[in-house]
Amino acid sequence: MSKDRPLGNIINLRLIAVLVTATVLIMAVFEAYRIYLGQKQFERSLEVQVQQIAERISSSVKPSIWSVYSKSIERSFSQDFASAILDSELKSEYLVAIVVYGNFGQIYMGKVKVDEGIYAPYEDARREQLLQQSDLLKSYPIKFETMTLGKVELFIDTSVFRQDQQEQLILELLQAAIISVFFVMVLFYAIKRALLAPMGRLQIAHRTFEHMGEAIAFTNVDGKIYDTNPAFRQITNLSGEQLHNCNIQDLFPGKLEKVIPMSSVPFGNSHWEGEAECHCANTEAVPVWLTISRVDDSDSSREGSKEFIFLFQDISSRKEAEKKLERLAFFDVLTDLPNRQYFENELETSIHMMNRSHQKLALLFIDVDHFKHVNDTLGHAAGDEVLVEIARRFKSRVRESDFISRIGGDEFTILLKDVEDTQQVARLAQELNEIAAEPIVIRGIVFKSGASIGISVYPEDASNASELIKNADIAMYHAKEKGRGQHSFFSSDLNAKVESYFELKNKLDLALINNEFELHYQPKVDLFSHRTVAAEGLIRWFTSDGRKIGPDSFIPLAEETRQIIPIGRWVLEQAASQLARWSSDENFQDLELSVNLSAVQLYDDSLIGTLQKLIEDYGIDPTKLEIEITETAIMQDTDLAIHILKKIKREGIKLSLDDFGSGYSSLNHLRLLPVDTLKIDRSFMAGAKEGNVSGSILTSIIKLAERLSIEVVAEGIEDRKHLEFLKAQQCARGQGYYFSPPVKIADFEKLVVDENRGSNGSSQETIA
């Protein structure tokens, strides 16, 4: 650009110089011709004026000269009158002197202009001076009819005219200069727009042509190259000499065939573009994006008037990037296996192929067992190592015709094509179970995993790809239920079970909205006074169609789907509301109320906030509320569970360890747990007798709790034998169907009121 700018300035300066010179010459010629015409006009005008002056003088002096008529004319023209005429004529700006001669050459009279309005008689001695002062000397005869009586000489000075002419010339030159400058500027910009601007654009086009990253070549209709840009020579590795007489056909074999049809079509259709390979010198073919355009000469009748532009750019990097993107889009980065999208495409294609060949297709849906445990304990990097190793093992067992993929997380799929029988699939699944179960060493730690495999077969188990995946997934979950490290084939029974599962889940979503839950109450009884001292709130579900669904059916599902969080919050709110009502009634104000808390609720971050809000909103005594939590819930994360239980305890809420004896908690954990009550699992009551194992364990638990100052509540009291046994062991509280099943609030409150009335009556009778 720095070289191009001075060149443009030089062109502009030259153009201005040419325009100025041409304008000056034109104006000079015009002004010279105008001066010439003015001079001629002045001379003609002066000649006329001088002649008229001479005639007037002749007329005035003729009578004086011709004395013969001096008396006959009655002295019409006297010498004084003639002299006055001369004075009058000398007022002309061009006359310097007037001399009148007689017939014989004697001076008759003469006047000289001394100054403006001052005249003196003519003297012959001043003739030379007058001649030097004058520019012209005109002489005219004085005639009377055919006779010459004398002559008149006029001394003429044109200096005034010349001075006026100079002043006029200067003024006109100034005007001409101003007009010329304006004219030159207008003409300059007009020419620049008409000539220089296109030239500038042409220069820009040329520079663009030279610096474009795309290769450009111009050819004639036969494909002969006659011009190229540097990018073309760089991409093709050809020098200018090598391109001499080179044909574009040599670089793009077969592409000249695109040009031939373009030679005869209308200009609007004379364009083609697409991918091509450029066969460059000393290199492999380079992929390029090629555009071919036809350029028609304005003289279309001229032979060979059609020319072609070949424009292309190297797309090697783009093609490489597309390959990488395609791999990222269709392959898993970690295991280098096909991903979900690739798997789904392959599954659709395989099903179409199987339909044509009437063969079977098996889908193995694989989930790595205990993978979450690896991630949680050793970190995600260790989990990645496990996935890579599992993928390697699976890949080593499948055939080349089979298709293995990782579809996400710890899930893999394998497509088995041309399946002859299910035994073949079962054998492979068993092999995969075995190699997945082999120990994996991660950072010096031996880790044993496994795989749960679900199998569905097309077309027996499904009619399309999505259904085949769904059914294999159902079978995989069944394999997990069987104990992990197993494989399971899909069946209609499994499908019915899954459909029932999702039907129940959908109903559970609506249960809270439709107010289908109820809280039933089972009394906790003082075993010695038979008085109800507390109650356990137990949730019951009655669907809108009146069907009762037991807690054992929906609680595990609610915990799995975390629907237990809003359900458990509802139970806590119902309990708080009931305690608030009881607190104002003397029949119930001493009662405690306990509710069960699932493991999911225990570890939920919102639990403590929910309890605090309920205590504040309902104004209840927190010591009247008891939370029951199972051993198994605490064992999931003992340290965290103890931390949460202590926070609950600080709110004043009592804690009860439910189903004690059924889990695996140690006595050390029992010492650390901030619990107020142990609820002995009902399984011990079923066979408890004096001296047998269950009875001995039950006795030990009661004594242990007594030493730890923990209250004991025995569950599952079904008959009087259970009651008497517990009383013998000094167990203070219990609950069971012997006293009352869980009942609605109205029935529970009636039971308590009846107890109070009976107690009052007994007291009055005793007093009486």
Side-chain angles (χ1 to χ4, degrees), residues 655-668:
L655 294 172
S656 174
L657 187 60
D658 197 12
D659 298 336
F660 183 76
S662 62
Y664 303 95
S665 62
S666 65
L667 295 178
N668 183 52

Side-chain angles (χ1 to χ4, degrees), residues 358-428:
H358 303 290
Q359 297 290 325
K360 293 182 180 180
L361 174 72
L363 171 61
L364 279 65
F365 199 106
I366 308 170
D367 185 85
V368 179
D369 295 332
H370 311 299
F371 180 72
K372 186 177 183 299
H373 177 66
V374 178
N375 268 344
D376 292 344
T377 55
L378 300 180
H380 291 282
D384 290 345
E385 291 181 34
V386 170
L387 292 175
V388 171
E389 176 60 21
I390 291 291
R392 186 194 65 79
R393 294 180 182 182
F394 287 168
K395 199 172 181 179
S396 67
R397 284 294 190 274
V398 298
R399 303 170 300 179
E400 289 186 6
S401 59
D402 299 329
F403 186 87
I404 179 172
S405 61
R406 179 192 174 207
I407 61 173
D410 58 347
E411 294 178 335
F412 296 83
T413 59
I414 299 176
L415 288 179
L416 302 180
K417 303 172 185 178
D418 300 326
V419 173
E420 296 179 359
D421 57 67
T422 55
Q423 291 300 318
Q424 169 193 353
V425 180
R427 284 193 298 271
L428 175 62

Side-chain angles (χ1 to χ4, degrees), residues 661-689:
S662 62
Y664 303 95
S665 62
S666 65
L667 295 178
N668 183 52
H669 283 149
L670 183 60
R671 180 180 61 83
L672 296 174
L673 290 173
V675 296
D676 302 284
T677 304
L678 286 183
K679 292 191 73 174
I680 301 173
D681 186 72
R682 66 182 66 248
S683 61
F684 291 106
M685 291 303 304
K689 293 180 181 179

Side-chain angles (χ1 to χ4, degrees), residues 44 75 101 104 125 148 176 201 233 238 251 253 375 390 435 491 558 581 586 589 594 604 626 633 645 654 699:
R44 287 193 297 272
R75 299 184 182 272
Y101 292 92
F104 300 105
T148 301
R201 288 194 292 271
R233 297 187 288 275
L238 295 172
L251 301 176
N375 268 344
I390 291 291
I435 61 174
S491 67
R581 288 193 293 271
E586 63 180 5
Q589 59 188 7
S594 65
D604 181 55
E626 186 175 58
L645 292 175
K654 290 184 177 181
T699 302

Side-chain angles (χ1 to χ4, degrees), residues 112-367:
V112 177
K113 184 188 294 183
V114 178
D115 202 349
E116 193 68 34
I118 302 173
Y119 312 107
Y122 172 77
E123 296 177 359
D124 199 32
R126 299 181 65 179
R127 185 176 181 82
E128 287 300 325
Q129 182 183 353
L130 289 172
L131 287 174
Q132 291 178 359
Q133 186 180 349
S134 304
D135 296 322
L136 296 173
L137 178 62
K138 292 288 186 178
S139 179
Y140 295 94
I142 301 172
K143 290 185 177 183
F144 181 74
E145 294 182 355
T146 59
M147 295 173 60
T148 301
L149 301 179
K151 66 175 180 180
V152 177
E153 278 189 345
L154 302 175
F155 291 85
I156 303 169
D157 182 8
T158 61
S159 59
V160 175
F161 168 74
R162 291 197 303 275
Q163 184 177 355
D164 290 344
Q165 194 176 43
Q166 287 176 359
E167 292 175 357
Q168 184 68 24
L169 179 61
I170 291 172
L171 181 61
E172 290 183 358
L173 286 175
L174 183 60
Q175 293 175 345
I178 295 172
I179 295 172
S180 297
V181 170
F182 177 75
F183 175 74
V184 167
M185 295 303 294
V186 171
L187 191 60
F188 171 75
Y189 284 107
I191 293 175
K192 189 173 181 179
R193 285 179 63 89
L195 181 61
L196 292 184
M199 289 177 62
R201 288 194 292 271
L202 189 60
Q203 287 181 351
I204 293 172
H206 180 71
R207 290 196 299 270
T208 303
F209 174 72
E210 289 292 320
H211 293 91
M212 278 185 68
E214 292 84 359
I216 304 175
F218 292 90
T219 76
N220 60 17
V221 73
D222 297 322
K224 183 179 178 182
I225 300 172
Y226 65 83
D227 195 10
T228 60
N229 69 342
F232 182 93
R233 297 187 288 275
Q234 181 181 359
I235 293 175
T236 59
N237 292 321
L238 295 172
S239 64
E241 294 180 359
Q242 290 173 314
L243 287 169
H244 184 65
N245 292 327
C246 181
N247 196 293
I248 199 72
Q249 182 73 19
D250 300 333
L251 301 176
F252 297 100
K255 292 303 174 187
L256 197 60
E257 298 172 0
K258 306 289 183 184
V259 174
I260 296 171
M262 288 166 55
S263 301
S264 57
V265 299
F267 183 72
N269 300 324
S270 56
H271 178 85
W272 179 89
E273 63 179 339
E275 285 191 20
E277 288 188 344
C278 179
H279 295 260
C280 305
N282 304 322
T283 61
E284 297 180 357
V286 176
V288 297
W289 185 264
L290 175 62
T291 301
I292 307 173
S293 301
R294 190 184 79 198
V295 180
D296 288 349
D297 195 300
S298 57
D299 183 8
S300 58
S301 62
R302 184 171 57 86
E303 185 179 355
S305 62
K306 296 180 179 65
E307 298 178 348
F308 293 90
I309 302 174
F310 282 73
L311 183 147
F312 60 91
Q313 55 184 337
D314 187 347
I315 58 172
S316 302
S317 300
R318 193 183 80 185
K319 298 292 284 186
E320 189 66 28
E322 286 176 356
K323 288 181 181 178
K324 291 180 179 178
L325 287 174
E326 184 178 358
R327 185 152 194 87
L328 288 173
F330 292 102
F331 284 84
D332 174 48
V333 177
L334 180 63
T335 62
D336 204 34
L337 293 176
N339 61 12
R340 176 181 289 275
Q341 184 174 355
Y342 195 175
F343 158 69
E344 290 175 351
N345 294 343
E346 182 67 20
L347 180 58
E348 292 283 358
T349 303
S350 299
I351 287 176
H352 289 311
M353 291 175 62
M354 296 304 105
N355 287 336
R356 288 197 298 268
S357 62
H358 303 290
Q359 297 290 325
K360 293 182 180 180
L361 174 72
L363 171 61
L364 279 65
F365 199 106
I366 308 170
D367 185 85

